[in-house]
């Protein structure tokens, strides 16, 4: 965990913990993942308690935002390094962010870490009907197709519920481009959008394929077809 004001250098608190000698007892290997997870939750709860750590107690979802991104990048660096010990350590740092945010939410009686785990558990089961249900998927392409279809149905179901109790609220129609976070860096966001578009057939080796697609969708032979027609159409819609 870094100091709130400096992202790059490790905080003194973190450095002292990481530099301390590690003595793993033989019994440590007999503790299950679930038990370790419970221990981590208890540690973070203790740090946020009235007599806990002043720094941890001051944190909010907003102040922790930079660390969430930082830790994700450090996991990638560790993965690329080929150092398994470092990889495991950095994934632990990322897991701590999930536990930290969940503890803040629990204190505010919004949700807790059990809700977080349940949500992802149920989602993975729901979106793999070829494993947990009766759907068949011959290859990864069909898996991705089913995944996107299920996601679209989930968004439609959520949109069908009136927002803020307004019975007259009209649900927004789902889009093939839904699910791409606006918080992503521009290049990564563009990559995600193009991947989604490619799954719907919008994927070509050159610009000519784009205009051919437009001609197919507009069989009227209007001025919209072709490069000049597309330019005219853009001018009319500005």
């Amino acid at each position: 965990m870094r100091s709130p004001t400096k992202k790059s250098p490790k905080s003194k608190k973190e450095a002292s913990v990481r530099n301390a000698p590690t003595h793993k007892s033989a019994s440590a290997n007999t503790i299950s993942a679930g038990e370790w997870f419970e221990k981590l939750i208890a540690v973070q709860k203790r740090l946020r308690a009235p007599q806990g750590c002043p720094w941890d107690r001051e944190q909010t979802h907003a102040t922790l935002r930079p660390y969430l991104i930082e830790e994700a990048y450090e996991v990638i660096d560790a993965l690329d390094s080929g150092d398994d010990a470092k990889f495991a350590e950095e994934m632990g740092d990322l897991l701590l962010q999930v536990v930290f945010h969940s503890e803040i939410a629990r204190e505010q009686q919004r949700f807790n870490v059990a809700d977080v785990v349940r949500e992802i558990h149920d989602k993975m089961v729901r979106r793999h009907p070829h494993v947990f249900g009766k759907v068949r998927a011959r290859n990864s392409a069909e898996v991705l197709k089913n995944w996107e279809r299920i996601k679209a149905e989930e968004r439609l179901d959520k949109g069908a519920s009136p927002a803020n109790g307004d019975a007259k609220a009209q649900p927004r129609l789902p889009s093939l481009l839904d699910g791409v976070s606006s918080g992503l860096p521009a290049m990564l966001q563009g990559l995600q959008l193009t991947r989604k578009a490619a799954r719907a057939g919008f994927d070509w080796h050159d610009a000519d394929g784009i205009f051919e697609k437009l001609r197919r969708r507009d069989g009227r032979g209007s001025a919209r077809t072709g490069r000049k027609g597309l330019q005219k159409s853009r001018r009319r819609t500005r």
Side-chain angles (χ1 to χ4, degrees):
M1 185 68 63
R2 288 161 181 70
S3 118
T5 56
K6 295 182 180 179
K7 296 182 183 178
S8 298
K10 303 289 184 182
S11 67
K12 292 181 179 179
K13 174 183 174 183
E14 181 185 31
S16 63
V17 172
R18 290 193 175 183
N19 293 333
T22 302
H23 302 289
K24 295 182 179 180
S25 63
S27 62
N29 295 328
T30 65
I31 300 177
S32 69
E35 290 173 309
W36 275 121
F37 191 53
E38 291 289 348
K39 286 176 177 289
L40 176 59
I41 294 169
V43 165
Q44 192 55 46
K45 186 175 181 179
R46 176 71 180 85
L47 291 172
R48 292 276 297 180
Q51 301 303 317
C53 172
W55 186 88
D56 284 78
R57 285 176 48 78
E58 291 173 358
Q59 302 314 302
T60 66
H61 291 307
T63 62
L64 291 174
R65 283 186 62 172
Y67 305 130
L68 204 54
I69 302 297
E70 265 187 55
E71 299 298 357
Y73 278 119
E74 291 195 2
V75 168
I76 298 301
D77 286 341
L79 171 60
D80 293 341
S81 75
D83 185 337
D84 284 348
K86 183 174 178 58
F87 189 22
E89 177 187 352
E90 295 299 345
M91 284 199 294
D93 288 347
L94 186 58
L95 177 60
L96 175 61
Q97 291 300 306
V98 175
V99 172
F100 207 150
H101 281 279
S102 299
E103 176 58 22
I104 294 173
R106 184 198 66 80
E107 293 167 0
Q108 299 170 358
Q109 298 183 345
R110 291 158 45 219
F111 62 84
N112 59 37
V113 72
D115 297 318
V116 174
V117 176
R118 187 192 68 250
E119 285 289 339
I120 188 58
H121 169 274
D122 292 351
K123 179 186 291 185
M124 295 304 289
V125 172
R126 189 170 62 248
R127 292 190 183 177
H128 290 82
H130 53 287
V131 177
F132 302 103
K134 298 181 179 180
V135 174
R136 294 289 178 265
R138 293 172 295 179
N139 49 49
S140 59
E142 289 190 3
V143 170
L144 291 175
K145 185 177 179 181
N146 288 337
W147 181 282
E148 293 299 330
R149 176 184 55 78
I150 295 169
K151 281 178 65 175
E153 290 173 355
E154 290 171 356
R155 293 193 194 98
L156 191 60
D157 289 341
K158 290 180 181 179
S161 301
N164 301 321
D166 185 0
K168 296 181 180 179
Q170 295 296 322
R172 185 181 69 83
L173 293 176
S175 167
L176 290 172
L177 302 181
D178 283 342
V180 177
S181 172
S182 59
L184 290 172
M187 290 187 66
L188 185 54
Q189 186 181 36
L191 177 62
Q192 296 285 1
L193 288 170
T194 54
R195 281 178 176 172
K196 284 181 171 289
R199 291 172 189 166
F202 285 79
D203 189 16
W204 306 275
H205 295 294
D206 51 49
D208 290 336
I210 300 174
F211 293 103
E212 178 60 28
K213 185 74 172 182
L214 291 173
R215 281 191 286 270
R216 290 180 185 176
R217 293 181 63 85
D218 185 3
R220 295 170 294 175
S222 66
R224 292 183 183 180
T225 59
R227 298 173 187 266
K228 293 182 180 179
L230 181 60
Q231 293 171 354
K232 292 179 180 178
S233 175
R234 284 175 177 171
R235 284 197 294 270
R236 285 196 294 268
T237 56
R238 283 177 183 172

